[in-house]
Amino acid sequence: MSLAAPSWWRLEMAAPPELEDSLIWKLGMLGISRVAVRHSPADPHQPLLLAWLPAIDWPEAERLELAAALAPLADTFRLPLPELAWFPQQEEDWSSSWKQHWQADPVGLRLLILPAWLDQPPEHEGRLVIRMDPGSAFGTGSHPTTRLCLEALEQLADAPGGIPSRVADLGCGSGILGIAALLLGASSVAAVDTDSLAVRATADNVALAGLAPRLQVRQGSVEALAELLDGCPADLLLCNILAPVIEALAPAFDTVLAPTGVGLLSGLLVAQAPKLAQILAALGWRAELVAQQSQWGLMMLHKAR
Ligand SMILES: C[S@@+](CC[C@H](N)C(=O)[O-])C[C@H]1O[C@@H](n2cnc3c(N)ncnc32)[C@H](O)[C@@H]1O
């Protein structure tokens, strides 16, 4: 009896919370979009990343190179890259293997991230549903920085005056933050991302939510965002990108955030907050660290008086 060559490789690797979304993003960049994250109830803090790769495109040499391509992500956090384990898999409905690992994911008190193919579970009835097609772009809601932003949006919505009306989403990824802002009561969102895949994912997800007329998305960075806002800076700026990128974009914040507005900045490590606050102060902004999850921080931004 001869063993048939595998049709697929199933990659399994530990995905520490710091790395999880970066790994998904990088795999997506490398054309690997069939990705799932399994959270074991026994050990919810040790998620397992799974990816399905067509065997024909991923011979051994390519699989070895994949580890080298992922290693710099771990270096950023001074972590060792978790070991990549490969399992041959025969033709099967990989798409359902992939999808079965995604669950409804409650965030804060009022939000629920729901994969596009699931119904709202009765235990989460009453929550505002953010429907996502995971696997397309960064921002499935599982990363601490995305969760920090979602929780802060919820708090803004519950504060007197509610959530600010006009929102700017700089580095929108899957569009998750802008969609949440609309569900929580914002009237419109202007969103940009330098990554064309993210722009497409945002457009798909906002259409899935039935909110397309209220969210405009374009490829680009802060300049494209200012153009989308058409000379009228937003009341709320969302920016969940790494600290050095926020630092580089900050001189243009005046063009996208009104002096009376509020900004939510994440993607930064708590240890990076003091330096970022200083840089923003020199530009006329007051930025305070208001929340954190593990080593990730969220800063709230106001115009300095
Ligand atoms: C950490 S992800 C955040 C995604 C989503 N907003 C969230 O909170 O889950 C950062 C996103 O910013 C985008 N990005 C990186 N540098 C950028 C820049 N200079 N201008 C605009 N977007 C940028 C990346 O492509 C990525 O989609």
Side-chain angles (χ1 to χ4, degrees):
M1 190 180 74
S2 71
L3 283 175
S7 308
W8 295 87
W9 286 107
R10 188 178 78 251
L11 166 65
E12 292 192 8
M13 67 188 293
E18 303 89 334
L19 283 184
E20 184 178 320
D21 259 2
S22 310
L23 287 170
I24 294 173
W25 168 79
K26 185 73 185 179
L27 291 173
M29 288 287 140
L30 296 168
I32 303 165
S33 57
R34 290 135 195 160
V35 178
V37 179
R38 187 157 65 202
H39 293 262
S40 147
D43 195 356
H45 301 297
Q46 281 303 327
L48 186 71
L49 182 97
L50 302 112
W52 286 263
L53 291 76
I56 193 155
D57 297 335
W58 291 89
E60 189 178 9
E62 301 283 331
R63 282 180 275 128
L64 287 173
E65 273 184 28
L66 181 61
L70 298 180
L73 301 177
D75 287 349
T76 311
F77 300 98
R78 302 193 183 171
L79 291 172
L81 182 71
E83 193 184 335
L84 279 67
W86 295 96
F87 301 91
Q89 197 158 340
Q90 294 307 329
E91 192 63 64
E92 62 149 358
D93 183 3
W94 54 259
S95 81
S96 56
S97 328
W98 166 55
K99 288 179 174 176
Q100 76 190 2
H101 297 293
W102 291 96
Q103 303 294 333
D105 183 8
V107 183
L109 298 173
R110 293 172 57 193
L111 296 170
L112 180 71
I113 302 167
L114 199 61
W117 55 88
L118 287 184
D119 290 329
Q120 184 162 5
E123 66 271 28
H124 296 309
E125 226 173 50
R127 283 184 177 259
L128 298 169
V129 174
I130 310 172
R131 285 205 174 269
M132 287 281 124
D133 195 357
S136 42
F138 189 109
T140 55
S142 54
H143 195 270
T145 60
T146 307
R147 299 186 92 81
L148 282 167
C149 293
L150 291 171
E151 285 165 9
L153 281 172
E154 201 180 273
Q155 283 161 19
L156 282 177
D158 290 342
I163 198 156
S165 168
R166 293 177 66 250
V167 178
D169 188 355
L170 179 50
C172 55
S174 61
I176 189 168
L177 301 182
I179 292 170
L182 289 174
L183 292 172
L184 288 164
S187 58
S188 65
V189 175
V192 294
D193 201 294
T194 44
D195 179 347
S196 62
L197 290 178
V199 172
R200 203 171 65 199
T202 294
D204 289 350
N205 285 325
V206 78
L208 204 61
L211 295 168
R214 288 161 59 199
L215 186 150
Q216 279 185 289
V217 61
R218 191 173 287 176
Q219 187 172 1
S221 188
V222 70
E223 303 78 15
L225 190 56
E227 268 177 38
L228 262 186
L229 291 165
D230 202 17
C232 186
D235 311 309
L236 172 61
L237 172 66
L238 307 171
C239 184
N240 175 16
I241 318 185
L242 298 172
V245 183
I246 299 179
E247 192 180 318
L249 296 173
F253 279 178
D254 273 323
T255 63
V256 291
L257 180 60
T260 50
V262 55
L264 298 178
L265 309 179
S266 193
L268 52 116
L269 299 170
V270 170
Q272 295 169 323
K275 182 179 165 216
L276 196 54
Q278 264 181 10
I279 290 165
L280 287 160
L283 295 166
W285 297 98
R286 179 165 49 88
E288 286 164 322
L289 186 72
V290 291
Q292 70 181 81
Q293 271 185 33
S294 63
Q295 78 265 53
W296 295 102
L298 175 98
M299 296 181 94
M300 198 170 267
L301 185 74
H302 291 97
K303 199 78 189 165
R305 290 202 198 101

